[in-house]
Amino acid sequence: MSGNKDGDGGWATFVWNSEKKEFLGRTGCSWFKIILFYVIFYLCLAGIFVGTIQALLLTLSSYKPTYQDRVAPPGLSHTPRLDKAEIVFSMSKNDTYVKFIESINALLKPYDDNVQTNEMKFEHCGDAPQWYVDRGSLENNAGQRKACRFSKSLLGDCSGDDDPTFGFKDGTPCIIVKLNRIVNFRPKAPSGNQSLPEALQGKVQPNLIPIHCKNKRQEDEGKIREIKYFGLGEGFPLQYYPYYGKLLQPQYLQPLVAIQFNVTLEQEVRLECKVYGANIDYSEKDRYQGRFDIKLTVNS
């Protein structure tokens, strides 16, 4: 068989057969037809791919996620926040809490009054909790929307204005709490006192999402001396919602609540904080859904 190949010219003849005018076993006409077939075939595939992408893009909004079924609103987060949600420091050693101060300062930097002076971007939304501020629908082509001002001075003793250590040097540390941003989400105030803890009974203000912290463990109840809350109404006012997203509200400032703890020294205290609203739920699988817990140890 190999002799026949050699007699036929072998590979040189297969590459170019001068008698039959074939290149790699095909004539020019055959090559033209097969190349034309694959060009048309892949152009059709590309057209189908581009068409499906364009059809998908027509269903998507530039301003909000189309599918939010995996989002469990809202998350509650705090600063400073560590991996193990544990805050341990000594009052007499500032190097043990300087990292906490730095994280709080970084969070509050956009809340300085001199950053919120642009009248085209910010507006005053009242000195007390009010109803939602309606700035139109997401898709009405009205351009960027204004955002409500929120001054860090509303955080009182935890603003850093009078005490740059946010209470850490005195053993009464502050944490800053916020509801995570979700586009077009409107938190609803509690509909009644049934779902509220005893400490909030009769104290709830209208147009406000209240927050409350208490001991996580029964044995820690006697270790908590006092818990103070600072902010506009000491909760999350409704006029700061809904959030219109980074494209329409890049300057948006979500409302903050500062919580100052005074606990027994040299003792680990487990604390749990929750927000209360008609459309706010909690999950055992997600410890930051509508709540969080921290371990706090204040040493001398």
Side-chain angles (χ1 to χ4, degrees):
M1 185 178 292
S2 60
N4 292 336
K5 286 184 178 180
D6 293 338
D8 293 339
W11 287 104
T13 303
F14 173 73
V15 173
W16 172 248
N17 190 323
S18 58
E19 294 181 1
K20 297 181 180 180
K21 307 298 182 182
E22 292 179 348
F23 176 70
L24 296 179
R26 291 182 179 274
T27 63
C29 182
S30 177
W31 276 113
F32 174 77
K33 291 179 180 179
I34 196 170
I35 291 174
L36 180 62
F37 167 80
Y38 280 107
V39 166
I40 295 174
F41 175 74
Y42 285 113
L43 284 176
C44 291
L45 285 182
I48 294 172
F49 176 77
V50 172
T52 54
I53 294 297
Q54 290 298 323
L56 176 63
L57 290 176
L58 291 175
T59 68
L60 300 180
S61 170
S62 300
Y63 306 108
K64 68 175 182 178
T66 302
Y67 301 104
Q68 294 180 286
D69 56 307
R70 298 185 63 182
V71 179
L76 187 66
S77 59
H78 61 87
T79 301
R81 179 178 176 181
L82 302 178
D83 292 338
K84 296 182 180 180
E86 185 173 5
I87 299 177
V88 181
F89 69 96
S90 298
M91 293 184 294
S92 58
K93 300 178 181 178
N94 67 334
D95 60 316
T96 62
Y97 58 78
V98 66
K99 59 184 177 181
F100 302 140
I101 295 175
E102 290 174 350
S103 63
I104 295 177
N105 278 325
L107 173 68
L108 295 182
K109 189 175 181 179
Y111 291 84
D112 286 334
D113 291 336
N114 57 7
V115 182
Q116 307 174 50
T117 57
N118 191 331
E119 297 292 337
M120 300 298 293
K121 295 182 178 180
F122 296 97
E123 63 181 338
H124 182 64
C125 296
D127 298 319
Q130 298 181 17
W131 191 246
Y132 310 106
V133 175
D134 188 2
R135 295 184 172 88
S137 68
L138 292 172
E139 308 287 348
N140 68 359
N141 298 320
Q144 290 192 357
R145 319 298 165 83
K146 290 185 178 182
C148 292
R149 291 187 178 93
F150 190 97
S151 173
K152 70 174 185 176
S153 62
L154 293 170
L155 303 181
D157 294 343
C158 294
S159 66
D161 294 335
D162 298 326
D163 179 11
T165 69
F166 299 97
F168 280 88
K169 69 177 178 61
D170 298 321
T172 55
C174 297
I175 66 171
I176 312 298
V177 184
K178 60 183 179 179
L179 280 171
N180 292 343
R181 302 178 183 185
I182 297 178
V183 177
N184 212 32
F185 176 69
R186 296 174 184 246
K188 297 179 181 179
S191 55
N193 289 327
Q194 301 89 341
S195 61
L196 300 177
E198 184 178 351
L200 291 178
Q201 296 285 332
K203 298 181 180 179
V204 175
Q205 304 179 45
N207 304 323
L208 184 76
I209 305 297
I211 184 171
H212 179 67
C213 300
K214 65 176 184 177
N215 52 293
K216 177 77 172 178
R217 304 176 300 189
Q218 187 65 34
E219 59 266 30
D220 289 335
E221 184 176 3
K223 301 176 184 178
I224 301 175
R225 297 172 180 171
E226 186 180 19
I227 300 177
K228 295 181 179 180
Y229 304 88
F230 302 95
L232 185 57
E234 300 180 6
F236 302 101
L238 298 186
Q239 65 255 44
Y240 288 85
Y241 303 94
Y243 167 52
Y244 282 78
K246 288 185 177 180
L247 191 61
L248 295 180
Q249 272 187 320
Q251 77 283 7
Y252 175 77
L253 297 174
Q254 60 216 89
L256 304 176
V257 175
I259 306 175
Q260 188 172 34
F261 298 102
N262 189 347
V263 299
T264 303
L265 300 181
E266 318 292 342
Q267 298 286 327
E268 180 186 278
V269 182
R270 291 285 298 275
L271 297 150
E272 182 182 56
C273 299
K274 285 185 176 182
V275 289
Y276 296 88
N279 59 345
I280 296 178
D281 300 317
Y282 314 102
S283 171
E284 293 298 329
K285 297 180 180 179
D286 185 356
R287 63 180 184 178
Y288 288 101
Q289 183 178 326
R291 65 178 179 180
F292 65 83
D293 59 86
I294 60 173
K295 300 177 185 178
L296 177 60
T297 305
V298 181
N299 300 315
S300 56

